[in-house]
Amino acid sequence: NAGVTQTPKFQVLKTGQSMTLQCAQDMNHEYMSWYRQDPGMGLRLIHYSVGAGITDQGEVPNGYNVSRSTTEDFPLRLLSAAPSQTSVYFCASSYNSPYTGELFFGEGSRLTVL
Amino acid sequence: GQQLNQSPQSMFIQEGEDVSMNCTSSSIFNTWLWYKQDPGEGPVLLIALYKAGELTSNGRLTAQFGITRKDSFLNISASIPSDVGIYFCAGPAYFRDDKIIFGKGTRLHILP
């Protein structure tokens, strides 16, 4: 019962470094998305994908890249990390549209940028 | 852009008390979703509402889709310790059912 798996769970970066947060789901879900959670700000949508080969921007896409080459995986890339990207990142997936279907979230990846 | 405003931001209650929280927007939503996040976990869907005026229950939880389509309410009856967490409302931004946005959450604390 893996569901949505995020790696790493914790990461510390220096300003300017790059890294990729991995997200994989084993539920054959078409829809996947990335959110960031900051204190007092709730969950903000970064990028999402409605299927392999299709991605789109959310509310706060700047500084992040995504791609969706397979149904299972949806990595989030930070090309040049900034302290403002210190946050907890959640990956979520849904069988079809999250409007009609439930979003299943991973356990989160806590990123600190120094 | 579209925003969902939740109140209160936090609540401190005694075990056994009933809880009410709400979510409002300046624009119309055609779906209201309520999620709960336990400490250290990702959010989990509690209730989904699709029709203005709809009242839906899930155990001790009851949620309503406001008639104006600009608000929604969540009530928890007879709170228990495991109700502690953050409650989020969510909905599709600009009627885009693939773009779900969340409110800032209501954090529920239960006093011993």
Side-chain angles (χ1 to χ4, degrees):
Chain A
N1 264 18
V4 178
T5 302
Q6 293 183 232
T7 56
K9 288 193 169 26
F10 300 93
Q11 182 72 48
V12 179
L13 288 178
K14 293 182 180 176
T15 297
Q17 286 185 318
S18 63
M19 78 156 300
T20 299
L21 297 176
Q22 302 290 347
C23 175
Q25 52 88 13
D26 62 358
M27 299 175 281
N28 201 31
H29 284 175
E30 289 296 323
Y31 181 93
M32 296 185 75
S33 56
W34 278 101
Y35 289 85
R36 60 177 289 175
Q37 184 175 24
D38 303 294
M41 297 297 292
L43 292 157
R44 291 183 291 171
L45 181 63
I46 305 172
H47 286 286
Y48 63 98
S49 168
V50 298
I54 306 168
T55 63
D56 205 347
Q57 295 182 345
E59 302 169 273
V60 288
N62 292 342
Y64 307 95
N65 281 351
V66 292
S67 59
R68 184 98 179 268
S69 55
T70 67
T71 299
E72 295 77 22
D73 300 297
F74 190 44
L76 180 71
R77 296 184 188 85
L78 286 72
L79 296 179
S80 179
S84 61
Q85 294 178 303
T86 293
S87 188
V88 181
Y89 292 85
F90 286 96
C91 179
S93 72
S94 178
Y95 180 67
N96 43 30
S97 164
Y99 153 73
T100 56
E102 179 177 352
L103 268 174
F104 292 86
F105 283 82
E107 292 186 338
S109 297
R110 184 177 292 273
L111 175 66
T112 301
V113 183
L114 303 175
Chain B
Q2 274 189 319
Q3 285 190 328
L4 294 172
N5 303 304
Q6 291 190 247
S7 65
Q9 284 186 319
S10 66
M11 306 179 72
F12 291 82
I13 63 166
Q14 300 280 352
E15 184 178 347
E17 284 186 15
D18 296 342
V19 173
S20 290
M21 62 187 77
N22 68 64
C23 185
T24 62
S25 174
S26 58
S27 51
I28 291 171
F29 275 72
N30 58 5
T31 298
W32 290 93
L33 308 166
W34 285 93
Y35 280 80
K36 183 200 176 196
Q37 183 180 29
D38 289 330
E41 308 271 335
V44 173
L45 181 67
L46 298 173
I47 292 177
L49 302 159
Y50 300 110
K51 194 171 157 186
E54 181 181 354
L55 187 72
T56 297
S57 293
N58 179 4
R60 293 178 297 105
L61 277 61
T62 302
Q64 184 162 23
F65 191 139
I67 286 291
T68 65
R69 297 172 66 191
K70 292 183 178 181
D71 56 12
S72 178
F73 306 88
L74 177 68
N75 295 319
I76 306 172
S77 62
S79 58
I80 60 177
S82 62
D83 291 334
V84 164
I86 306 176
Y87 292 80
F88 292 103
C89 63
Y94 304 107
F95 302 105
R96 291 280 304 275
D97 58 9
D98 54 358
K99 204 166 182 173
I100 300 297
I101 60 172
F102 283 73
K104 294 181 180 180
T106 292
R107 187 180 290 270
L108 182 62
H109 305 265
I110 297 184
L111 301 169

